[in-house]
Amino acid sequence: MKYCSTRGGVSELNFDDAVMMGLAEDGGLLIPQELPSIKEKLQDWRSLTYQDLCLEVLDLFVGESVDRSKLKAMIQQSYRSFRTSSITPVVQVSSIHVLELFHGPTYAFKDVALQLLGNLFECLLNRRGERLRILGATSGDTGSAAIHGVRHRKNLEIFMLHPFGRVSPIQELQMVTVTDENVHNLAVDGTFDDAQNIVKALFNDVEFKKTQRLGAVNSINWARVLAQIVYYIYAHCRVAPSAESPVVFSVPTGNFGNVLAGYYAQQMGLPVEKLIVATNSNDILHRLFIKGEYYQEGVQETLSPSMDIQISSNLERYLYDLCDKDPKILRSWMMEFQASGKLTLTGNHLKKAQAQFESVRVDDEETVATIQEVHSKHGYLLDPHSAVGYAAAQKISSSSPVISLACAHPAKFAGAIERATGNPPPEPSELASLRNRDTRCHRLPATSEAVRDFLEKTVPKYD
C-alpha cells in the first residue's frame, strides 16, 4: 500500500512515512493511492471481535511497515483500557441503532483512534530511533484523547491547542489535569478554527516542521481516519441482517473526519445506503451538500461545542475524490477557498456530492428536545453531539437499519443534559475526581508566532 498527497506533490510513501509526515509537505492530505476491496471478506468478518476485525482492516493498509504479530499486540494493548469488551457496542433505542463510541479512557469517540495512534507512534519511533513533538488543535475531545494516548511516552512530546473558554468544563479538565512533563496544554484566545489554522501554518513551514520534529494527531493524520473505518464495518456486522444488506449511518460531524471514515468504508465495499452529515448551527457542511456553497461565517457557540467549526479540514480528502483525483482541480479549489473564503460546487460535482451524502442541520432547541424525548420515552441519555446525529437519523426515511453514532458520554456535557432533563447526568468517578487535581496550562494569543515562540523555547529534555 502506497500513499500520496491530495495536491499531487508527494507520492509513493510507505504507511510509516505517511503516519510520521501527518500533513503532506505540499500542504495536502495523505491518502492511499488505491483503496482495497472488502466485499468478499465481509461474511467471514461478521463473527470477529472488534480487536480481530481491527487487525484485518489495518493489515490491508499497513503493509510491511508493521509486522502482523506486532500489529496484533498493539491493537490488544490499545483497547485494553476500554470499559467494555465489545469496544464500540451497538444499542437499539426505539427504531434507531446507537453506536456507542465513548467507552475509552476519556469517554469520547476520539479514544478509538488515538489510543491506537499513540502505540503506533511509539512502535515506529522506537524502530527508527527517533523522537517526535506532536502539535495539534482540539475543539474538545481530540485533545484529551491524544494526551492520554501519548502521556508517559519518553519519545513523544505533545503540544495541544484548545480555544480558551470554548470547550466544556470537563473537556478542559481532562486536558489540563495531565501534568506529565511531556504534555503541554495551550489555551489560545480565539476559536477552534483559529487554533487549527495555527497548526496548519506551522506544519506548512517545512523547515520549521523538520527542525522541531513535528507530527500530527488530528484527523489530518491518515492513521486517525483509518482506525475509525473499523467501527463502521463492526457496526454493520452487528446490525445488518446479512453481509450484503445495506445500512444507513447518521454522523454528527464538524471537521468531516468521522463521516469521511464511513465514506471510505463504503468505497471499500461496505453496503451503505446513505451517509448523513449531521451538523449543528455551524452548518457549513450542510450548506455545501444542500446548495453547493461552502463559505465561512462567524462561529456560533452551541451546546455541541466539538462541532463548532467553520473549516472542515478533512473535506479536502473527499473533494479529491469528487474531482476524480485530479490534483490540479483540487489545488484550484483550495486556492479559491483560501483566497476568498468560499468554494462553490456546481453541475455534476454537486450532483455527485448530493448522491453520496445527505445532510441535516440541528439547532440547539432541537438538540435539547431530542435529549429530553429520548430520555423520557426510552430511558436513554444522549450527549448533545450524539443528539444531533439521532435527530438527523429520525428525519431520514429508509427501510434499511439506521445507525446513529454516539460520540461522547453525556456526563461530559452536564449543562446540556440538565437543561433537557432537569437533572445533571450521573457522573463517572473518573470524571468527578478531575476537580481535585492539579492543573497546568499556558494561555497564548491566537497567532502562529506565539505558538512558534512557545515551541522554540520549550526545549525537550532529550535534546
Side-chain angles (χ1 to χ4, degrees), residues 365-399:
E365 183 178 350
E366 189 174 1
T367 298
V368 169
T370 301
I371 295 171
Q372 193 279 330
E373 179 185 12
V374 172
H375 182 253
S376 63
K377 288 186 177 180
H378 309 293
Y380 189 86
L381 269 180
L382 295 163
D383 94 280
H385 305 79
S386 307
V388 169
Y390 194 97
Q394 290 180 307
K395 298 175 186 293
I396 299 301
S397 175
S398 175
S399 59

Side-chain angles (χ1 to χ4, degrees), residues 175-241:
M175 291 186 281
V176 302
T177 55
V178 181
T179 57
D180 303 59
E181 288 188 358
N182 73 325
V183 174
H184 308 275
N185 282 291
L186 309 179
V188 298
D189 292 321
T191 67
F192 167 72
D193 289 323
D194 295 325
Q196 183 170 249
N197 286 336
I198 291 169
V199 171
K200 286 186 175 180
L202 295 178
F203 271 98
N204 281 327
D205 185 337
V206 176
E207 186 60 30
F208 181 78
K209 177 182 176 182
K210 288 180 178 178
T211 58
Q212 291 293 317
R213 297 183 303 214
L214 297 183
V217 291
N218 287 65
S219 52
I220 59 174
N221 193 307
W222 166 251
R224 276 279 307 275
V225 179
L226 171 58
Q228 291 172 223
I229 291 172
V230 179
Y231 53 68
Y232 283 92
I233 301 171
Y234 183 79
H236 182 277
C237 290
R238 294 298 175 274
V239 170

Side-chain angles (χ1 to χ4, degrees), residues 130-133 154-155 157 159 210-213 455-463:
E130 296 177 357
R131 310 284 184 174
L132 191 67
R133 309 181 89 189
K154 63 181 181 179
N155 53 3
E157 190 175 19
F159 297 79
K210 288 180 178 178
T211 58
Q212 291 293 317
R213 297 183 303 214
L455 280 163
E456 289 177 334
K457 289 181 178 178
T458 308
V459 181
K461 294 189 180 300
Y462 48 75
D463 279 349

Side-chain angles (χ1 to χ4, degrees), residues 292-311:
E293 298 175 355
Y294 185 74
Y295 58 90
Q296 300 178 61
E297 293 181 333
V299 175
Q300 300 181 42
E301 292 189 47
T302 74
L303 296 175
S304 45
S306 297
M307 298 161 63
D308 291 348
I309 295 169
Q310 282 294 310
I311 303 175

Side-chain angles (χ1 to χ4, degrees), residues 38-260:
I38 61 173
K39 281 185 178 181
E40 304 304 319
K41 304 176 186 292
L42 286 174
Q43 181 59 45
D44 292 337
W45 285 359
R46 287 173 64 80
S47 60
L48 295 181
T49 65
Y50 189 92
Q51 293 90 327
D52 287 343
L53 176 63
C54 186
L55 175 63
E56 296 303 324
V57 175
L58 265 61
D59 198 40
L60 298 174
F61 291 87
V62 169
E64 297 179 357
S65 292
V66 182
D67 178 78
R68 184 179 169 91
S69 62
K70 289 183 179 179
L71 184 61
K72 181 176 182 178
M74 188 188 305
I75 291 168
Q76 293 294 331
Q77 180 184 357
S78 298
Y79 297 120
R80 199 166 288 142
S81 59
F82 279 61
R83 291 177 297 279
T84 172
S85 59
S86 52
I87 312 302
T88 62
V90 182
V91 178
Q92 186 157 356
V93 181
S94 186
S95 61
I96 295 173
H97 301 269
V98 176
L99 175 58
E100 295 184 341
L101 302 173
F102 50 77
H103 292 282
T106 71
Y107 294 85
F109 83 97
K110 307 293 179 67
D111 288 320
V112 179
L114 286 166
Q115 285 295 303
L116 181 64
L117 185 57
N119 287 311
L120 182 59
F121 271 140
E122 187 169 55
C123 172
L124 298 179
L125 289 169
N126 285 342
R127 192 177 70 199
R128 292 171 170 228
E130 296 177 357
R131 310 284 184 174
L132 191 67
R133 309 181 89 189
I134 293 169
L135 177 63
T138 182
S139 55
D141 287 329
T142 290
S144 57
I147 287 167
H148 284 264
V150 306
R151 64 184 305 190
H152 304 314
R153 300 181 191 272
K154 63 181 181 179
N155 53 3
L156 286 166
E157 190 175 19
I158 185 166
F159 297 79
M160 185 56 63
L161 284 63
H162 72 268
F164 179 76
R166 290 175 178 258
V167 299
S168 80
I170 287 293
Q171 287 176 316
E172 181 182 7
L173 284 171
Q174 284 186 306
M175 291 186 281
V176 302
T177 55
V178 181
T179 57
D180 303 59
E181 288 188 358
N182 73 325
V183 174
H184 308 275
N185 282 291
L186 309 179
V188 298
D189 292 321
T191 67
F192 167 72
D193 289 323
D194 295 325
Q196 183 170 249
N197 286 336
I198 291 169
V199 171
K200 286 186 175 180
L202 295 178
F203 271 98
N204 281 327
D205 185 337
V206 176
E207 186 60 30
F208 181 78
K209 177 182 176 182
K210 288 180 178 178
T211 58
Q212 291 293 317
R213 297 183 303 214
L214 297 183
V217 291
N218 287 65
S219 52
I220 59 174
N221 193 307
W222 166 251
R224 276 279 307 275
V225 179
L226 171 58
Q228 291 172 223
I229 291 172
V230 179
Y231 53 68
Y232 283 92
I233 301 171
Y234 183 79
H236 182 277
C237 290
R238 294 298 175 274
V239 170
S242 71
E244 297 80 24
S245 301
V247 299
V248 174
F249 285 104
S250 181
V251 189
T253 188
N255 217 16
F256 205 72
N258 203 359
V259 73
L260 180 73

